[in-house]
Amino acid sequence: SKLRFLADWKGGNRYELKMDHLVCFAPGMFALSYHTSPDKSSAKAQRDLTVAKQLMYTCWQMYERMETGIAPEYIMFYQNKDFKTPATHYLLRPETVESLFILNQVTGHPIYRIWGKRIMDSIDKYCKTRYGYGALKNVHKTQQQPDDSMESFFLAETLKYLFLLQDPDVPIDLNEWVFNTEAHPLRIFI
């Protein structure tokens, strides 16, 4: 597939060639490592930014390659083949859009806002219910009703990061603010 991914470590030299949607926080983590590096031209900083972009592209492909434009819970990689989706459900997770927000802030590249808009359009099209949004049982099926359940992190994190990603006038400077695990921005006091 030629996609960069983080495999599940099973101990010793054993790995499962699986990447969970939850791992899609990692592009943002690597981008923040680059962003906070005192020497952005160093080999480590440049490596971290490259890895961030490559992992972000993989997370984007988890959305882009599905019929609904919605990512599955995890994907499996196979040698010399494209990834497969054995777990086809979607739980309205925030990790990918969190990383899109951070990469947009760090690089200023508009592709991350474009990808975020496409993800939001797909969520709105396939997950919207009468009173909110719901999880999907199968990201391959375009003709299905979303579940009648919405995790609190969808409002606290997923929608917040999508909003911040699309609003360039929001004054969130990553040198002055840090986000807690529920995406609440907290000013850094130094």
Side-chain angles (χ1 to χ4, degrees), residues 60 100 104 107-118 165:
W60 164 242
L100 287 172
N104 182 65
T107 69
H109 198 294
I111 194 63
Y112 304 115
R113 291 180 71 209
I114 292 167
W115 290 350
K117 172 75 167 81
R118 289 175 65 180
L165 179 61

Side-chain angles (χ1 to χ4, degrees), residues 2 6 10 15 17 26 30 36 39 41 54 65 69 71 79 85 93 111 133 144 151 182 184 188 190:
K2 299 189 180 185
L6 297 176
K10 297 297 183 183
Y15 294 90
L17 302 181
F30 281 102
T36 58
D39 179 8
S41 64
Q54 291 171 340
R65 295 184 188 188
Q79 195 167 10
T85 56
R93 291 202 184 276
I111 194 63
Y133 291 84
Q144 65 181 309
E151 299 286 348
E182 288 299 314
H184 302 308
I188 299 170
I190 298 177

Side-chain angles (χ1 to χ4, degrees), residues 15-118:
Y15 294 90
E16 185 175 20
L17 302 181
K18 169 187 169 198
M19 186 164 152
D20 290 84
H21 190 284
L22 290 167
V23 174
C24 288
F25 82 92
M29 177 185 69
F30 281 102
L32 286 172
S33 175
Y34 163 81
H35 179 71
T36 58
S37 174
D39 179 8
K40 292 187 177 38
S41 64
S42 72
K44 178 189 176 302
Q46 289 300 307
R47 179 208 62 202
D48 288 350
L49 183 59
T50 298
V51 170
K53 290 176 179 179
Q54 291 171 340
L55 289 173
M56 187 75 260
Y57 182 74
T58 301
C59 293
W60 164 242
Q61 289 303 300
M62 289 172 69
Y63 283 82
E64 178 68 6
R65 295 184 188 188
M66 300 306 116
E67 291 85 339
T68 57
I70 303 283
E73 184 65 9
Y74 68 84
I75 57 177
M76 297 290 295
F77 290 87
Y78 302 93
Q79 195 167 10
N80 300 321
K81 295 181 183 174
D82 200 8
F83 65 73
K84 304 280 185 206
T85 56
T88 60
H89 60 287
Y90 171 69
L91 302 175
L92 304 167
R93 291 202 184 276
E95 290 77 18
T96 296
V97 296
E98 174 184 11
S99 286
L100 287 172
F101 168 74
I102 293 169
L103 273 154
N104 182 65
Q105 291 287 307
V106 169
T107 69
H109 198 294
I111 194 63
Y112 304 115
R113 291 180 71 209
I114 292 167
W115 290 350
K117 172 75 167 81
R118 289 175 65 180

Side-chain angles (χ1 to χ4, degrees), residues 127-147:
C127 300
K128 190 169 181 134
T129 67
R130 184 172 178 190
Y131 298 110
Y133 291 84
L136 293 181
K137 287 182 175 43
N138 191 327
V139 296
H140 296 291
K141 295 182 178 179
T142 58
Q143 302 297 316
Q144 65 181 309
Q145 292 297 311
D147 288 347

